[in-house]
Amino acid sequence: MNETAFDPLREIGANGLPYAIPIHPNLVHLTLGLFIVAIAFDIVGVLFPLEKPVFKFLAIPATRSNFFDVGWYNMLAAAIITFFTVAAGFYEIMLADPPANIKSDWGLKAMETMLWHGVGGVLLLAAIVAMTVWRGFQRFLWRKDLSRQVQWSYLLVGLGIFFLMFLHGTLGAQMASEFGVHISADRLLLLSKDSLLLSK
C-alpha cells in the first residue's frame, strides 16, 4: 500500500497547491465584503434621518437600529473570517514558487511583494479586530442608549481602512497577475517552457 496516496499535502497540483482552487483569494473577498457592508450599513444608519423620507416614499419598512445590527454582525463576522484568511494566506505563501527575475509595476520583486503582503495581512487583521472591539464598546456600553450607535471617528477610520485594503489588495493582485503565484495557467506555461529548454 502506498502511504503517500492518502496524504493530500504531498500531492501538489498544477497551481502549486494541494487543492484545485486557492482558498486565500476566496476568503479575502469574503473579508472585504463583510467589512465594506459593515461600514456601509453603519453609514446608512448614521444618515438615517436624512434618508427616512426616501424609505417612506419607497414603502421600505426600515428602522435605524436594523442598519446598526447589520453593521455590527458583519463587522464581527469580518473579524472572525479574517483569522482564516490570514492563515490560508500564510500557508499558500509558504508553497509559492514565484519567478525571481521579474519586478511588479511598483518595482518590487516577488519575495518583497509577498513579504509586504504578509505583513499587511497581519496589520489588517489587527485593524479589523480593533474595529470590532471598538464597535462592540459603542454598541454595548458607550452608546447603547443613543439612537446613533456609532461615532463619526469610527466611520472615518473604517474609510481609511478601505484605502489600506486597496493598497494591500493591489499587492495580492500583483502576486497573481504579474508573478503567477498559484495560477495554474502560468505554472503550466512555465513548465512547458522549461521542458522545451530541456529538450533542446
Side-chain angles (χ1 to χ4, degrees):
M1 184 165 128
N2 185 358
E3 294 179 3
T4 62
F6 298 103
D7 187 357
L9 298 180
R10 293 188 187 184
E11 296 176 12
I12 302 296
N15 62 1
L17 295 170
Y19 35 83
I21 299 172
I23 295 171
H24 177 70
N26 293 301
L27 290 178
V28 162
H29 289 91
L30 184 57
T31 292
L32 286 171
L34 290 167
F35 187 85
I36 290 168
V37 166
I39 298 297
F41 271 78
D42 280 337
I43 289 172
V44 172
V46 166
L47 300 176
F48 184 75
L50 301 174
E51 301 156 347
K52 195 172 181 180
V54 176
F55 291 126
K56 191 173 182 179
F57 175 75
L58 297 173
I60 298 174
T63 60
R64 194 177 206 184
S65 63
N66 293 139
F67 291 108
F68 291 130
D69 288 344
V70 173
W72 162 247
Y73 287 112
N74 274 272
M75 186 61 71
L76 182 62
I80 293 167
I81 290 294
T82 305
F83 281 98
F84 297 100
T85 303
V86 171
F90 274 103
Y91 175 70
E92 292 180 3
I93 276 180
M94 289 189 318
L95 295 176
D97 185 23
N101 57 346
I102 299 174
K103 283 192 175 183
S104 70
D105 287 341
W106 287 5
L108 299 173
K109 291 188 176 182
M111 290 307 291
E112 294 169 323
T113 302
M114 288 194 300
L115 177 66
W116 282 111
H117 190 66
V119 169
V122 172
L123 292 176
L124 278 175
L125 169 62
I128 291 171
V129 170
M131 288 290 284
T132 305
V133 171
W134 187 5
R135 183 70 173 80
F137 274 108
Q138 291 175 89
R139 180 178 174 88
F140 297 109
L141 292 175
W142 302 336
R143 306 181 68 85
K144 67 178 181 178
D145 297 325
L146 300 176
S147 60
R148 184 169 57 86
Q149 199 176 94
V150 295
Q151 301 163 315
W152 283 104
S153 55
Y154 168 82
L155 297 176
L156 291 173
V157 171
L159 294 174
I161 291 175
F162 283 179
F163 178 70
L164 295 177
M165 286 178 165
F166 166 75
L167 294 177
H168 180 71
T170 302
L171 287 172
Q174 288 173 348
M175 287 169 53
S177 64
E178 297 179 32
F179 302 118
V181 173
H182 300 311
I183 305 297
S184 298
D186 280 17
R187 290 182 54 87
L188 290 171
L189 287 171
L190 186 62
L191 287 172
S192 68
K193 284 180 186 174
D194 290 344
S195 64
L196 285 174
L197 289 172
L198 290 173
S199 65
K200 289 184 180 179

